[in-house]
Amino acid sequence: MMELEVAVARILATLPPPVSERVPLREAAGRVLAKTISAPMDLPHFTNSAMDGYAVRAADVTTANAAAPVNLRLAGRIPAGENFGGELASGECLRIFTGSPLPHGADAVVMQEDTHLSPERTGEVLICDKVRPGENVRPQGDDVCRGTTLTATGDVLGPANISLLAAVGVREADVGRRPTVGLLATGSELREAGEPLGPGQIYESNRAALGPLIACAGGVPQCFPLVPDTLAATQTALERAFAGCDLVVTSGGVSVGEMDFVKTAFENLGGTLEFWKVAMRPGKPFVFGRWGEKFLFGLPGNPVSAFVTFLLLVRPALWRWQGARAVGLPAHPAVLGEPVANAGDRRHFMRVRVDEAGWVFSAGRQASHALASLAAANGLLNLPPGVALAAGAPVTVLRWD
Ligand code: AMP
Ligand code: MG
């Protein structure tokens, strides 16, 4: 039986290098950047006003206050998107708007709220407050300097990264191709929702969870029909899935029973089993296999086992397949709200609920078929064998999307 860290490292080391493709920037959200992008220009691109107001020379208004305003001659206006051709002379101001280029000669902007139009003399503005040089001005390059790395190979692009790239004129990005992930559920007892249940039959629920989890990890799930527990049906289903997909995720049929056909069927097709069984609870019978440049992730059938093994063993593989650098679930610090213990001999990934104040409680029954506690959970607590922790102990909780 393999330790989880070893199993994950083994899977990641087996994956092929990512394949990249170029996509329009608007389609790059959630994708893994394949090639570092540096800023092709400064941001802001030109020095501009941070306020609606008047561009001035700060030295002209050093004495300005509400009781004794300074009078400046209004020399024109600069709407956003336009430029002032000339140079602002001493004693003058220019009407300016947020984002308008700062005119030559000006070094500050007095906000509109600190000014009045002169009641007696048109074409003059009363400045009622002084400004420091640079005040209410956004200098060229103060956000991003040309040549700076904006986002690096292996980053997952989010809306904010994309906004930054768009702001410097980037139109396309090289990103890792998304894997097509075949999704099979094995088990003669399984029925589709809507079908009547005969004796001993249950509704299939793993594909419903795994499909969205695959999509959240950047994969494209492709759902296949239910697979009854025969060697022939399992083999045919695997063959079809491997023909059309980059990776295949199965649930069920990987335990020790004589009705568990996934491993044999996979080997009969020419696949190689890389390892079987991981020292974790839930999820021990997980199997990983290789079929040329394609891979099998055989998850146990119990719904919680399938969910947890996906998060800890398959999710990292999907991200790394696309070239992502960070592939583990995000770990958040929290504090135990009640004592917990693992008396078993395998690492327990306990379903927990972290409340808004950061206290951690068991999400309920921890058996590997118990879906209600999974639905109530928002994290997993990694409890090594033999560990007992008291209430108040600091812990880290693995969270998922
Ligand atoms: P197995 O891993 O095939 O031995 O299945 C373990 C348990 O999980 C059994 O109780 C199965 O009925 C159940 N199970 C297997 N696959 C699914 C599934 N896709 N949806 C819901 N329950 C399942
Ligand atoms: Mg089964």
Side-chain angles (χ1 to χ4, degrees), residues 186-190 227 229 251-255 259-261 301-302:
T186 74
S188 297
E189 74 281 23
L190 304 176
V227 186
D229 289 319
S251 88
V254 288
S255 295
M259 301 302 280
D260 292 321
F261 293 111
N302 265 315

Side-chain angles (χ1 to χ4, degrees), residues 2 25 36 49 84 94 97 136 144 146 225-226 242 333 349 352 387:
M2 204 177 259
L25 195 63
T36 294
S49 176
F84 183 70
L94 279 162
F97 303 91
N136 299 324
V144 170
R146 183 183 165 164
L226 296 176
F242 271 108
F349 287 93
V352 294
V387 162

Side-chain angles (χ1 to χ4, degrees), residues 136-160:
N136 299 324
V137 169
R138 310 193 283 213
Q140 176 175 342
D142 85 333
D143 186 4
V144 170
C145 276
R146 183 183 165 164
T148 323
T149 296
L150 298 179
T151 163
T153 303
D155 288 346
V156 178
L157 296 174

Side-chain angles (χ1 to χ4, degrees), residues 5 40 43 65-66 97 104 122 127 152 154 156 214 277 330 372 380 397:
E5 292 81 353
L43 205 61
N65 61 66
F97 303 91
H104 284 293
T122 55
I127 305 294
V156 178
I214 289 168
K277 288 187 180 170
L380 293 173
V397 174

Side-chain angles (χ1 to χ4, degrees), residues 28-77:
R31 306 293 297 268
V32 180
L33 194 71
K35 210 167 123 207
T36 294
I37 300 178
S38 303
M41 56 158 75
D42 288 334
L43 205 61
H45 183 40
F46 51 86
T47 299
N48 66 86
S49 176
M51 291 282 176
D52 290 343
Y54 293 87
V56 300
R57 293 170 176 252
D60 283 352
V61 298
T62 47
T63 63
N65 61 66
V70 170
N71 254 27
L72 294 178
R73 192 180 76 78
L74 182 59
R77 70 203 297 266

